[in-house]
């Protein structure tokens, strides 16, 4: 895969508003050209990659089919969905190791960049919650996804679910 120089900016909170807008513009430019950042935990290197092919999921009625198991998960009605309420929490949950994926491609630079993109209205999250009286908010985050909006395209970057907390298929529902 081709590579471009990483690090289009530095961590959020250390930039002037003008510099942050410049980082956001550079990130959006890279994404529009098909690049995305990927951290290699083994080497500690963050690189920008541009795969030859990307998957596209058409969402029109005639093109998109929902599996029976996913329809059943939606019908169960135990999940409450929200958008952009817990963006950074979703990102950090996506970055946590999971069964079958002990390493992550999301590092602090990527989290910082996406928080900036979210602050500027380009990145979004969908969250899945279950009711939980023991949680401070009365609900617990059990799944979600985040991604980048570019015109009519939403590029889903990562998703997670917590079946151990009642979130079986939560990321798919999102």
């Amino acid at each position: 895969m081709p590579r471009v120089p990483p690090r289009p900016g530095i961590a959020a909170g250390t930039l002037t508003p003008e510099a942050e807008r410049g980082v956001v513009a550079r990130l959006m430019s890279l994404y529009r050209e098909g690049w995305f950042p990927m951290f290699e935990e083994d080497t500690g290197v963050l690189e920008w990659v541009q795969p030859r092919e990307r998957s596209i999921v058409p969402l029109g009625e005639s093109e998109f089919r929902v599996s029976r198991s996913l329809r059943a998960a939606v019908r169960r009605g135990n999940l409450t969905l929200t958008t952009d309420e817990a963006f950074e929490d979703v990102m950090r949950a996506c970055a946590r190791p999971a069964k079958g994926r002990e390493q992550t491609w999301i590092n602090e630079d990527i989290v910082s960049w996406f928080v900036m993109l979210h602050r500027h209205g380009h990145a979004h999250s969908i969250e899945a919650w279950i009711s939980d009286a023991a949680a401070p908010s009365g609900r617990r985050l059990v799944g979600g996804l985040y991604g980048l909006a570019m015109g009519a395209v939403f590029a889903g970057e990562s998703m997670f679910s917590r079946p151990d907390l009642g979130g079986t298929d939560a990321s798919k529902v999102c």
Side-chain angles (χ1 to χ4, degrees):
M1 287 190 245
R3 298 177 180 155
V4 296
R7 308 193 64 80
I10 55 177
T14 60
L15 299 173
T16 65
E18 183 179 332
E20 183 171 302
R21 284 190 299 277
V23 171
V24 167
R26 178 69 176 133
L27 289 167
M28 291 302 292
S29 174
L30 288 167
Y31 267 91
R32 277 193 286 288
E33 294 170 13
W35 297 97
F36 66 91
M38 183 166 276
F39 176 69
E40 182 61 49
E41 206 167 46
D42 286 339
T43 63
V45 174
L46 186 147
E47 295 184 288
W48 284 82
V49 296
Q50 187 183 48
R52 292 172 210 240
E53 295 181 11
R54 298 285 298 256
S55 295
I56 296 174
V57 179
L59 298 178
E61 265 186 59
S62 63
E63 302 123 336
F64 184 71
R65 296 285 178 226
V66 177
S67 69
R68 284 184 188 171
S69 62
L70 183 54
R71 280 195 302 269
V74 171
R75 276 196 303 269
R76 275 194 294 274
N78 64 327
L79 298 173
T80 299
L81 300 181
T82 60
T83 57
D84 292 333
E85 280 191 24
F87 182 84
E88 189 170 345
D89 293 335
V90 168
M91 277 204 75
R92 292 194 180 283
C94 289
R96 283 190 203 106
K99 185 178 178 181
R101 183 189 49 80
E102 284 67 37
Q103 296 186 334
T104 184
W105 63 271
I106 302 168
N107 72 351
E108 284 302 313
D109 284 334
I110 294 172
V111 171
S112 293
W113 293 335
F114 267 86
V115 167
M116 274 191 252
L117 289 165
H118 177 68
R119 197 167 36 248
H120 288 261
H122 300 292
H124 302 282
S125 61
I126 301 172
E127 305 91 14
W129 309 84
I130 59 167
S131 295
D132 184 348
S137 66
R139 61 187 187 170
R140 182 169 311 279
L141 183 64
V142 295
L145 69 84
Y146 79 92
L148 191 64
M150 296 173 287
V153 173
F154 179 78
E157 291 298 303
S158 190
M159 59 188 195
F160 82 98
S161 64
R162 294 289 310 270
D164 56 315
L165 298 176
T168 301
D169 294 328
S171 60
K172 292 177 192 173
V173 171
C174 289

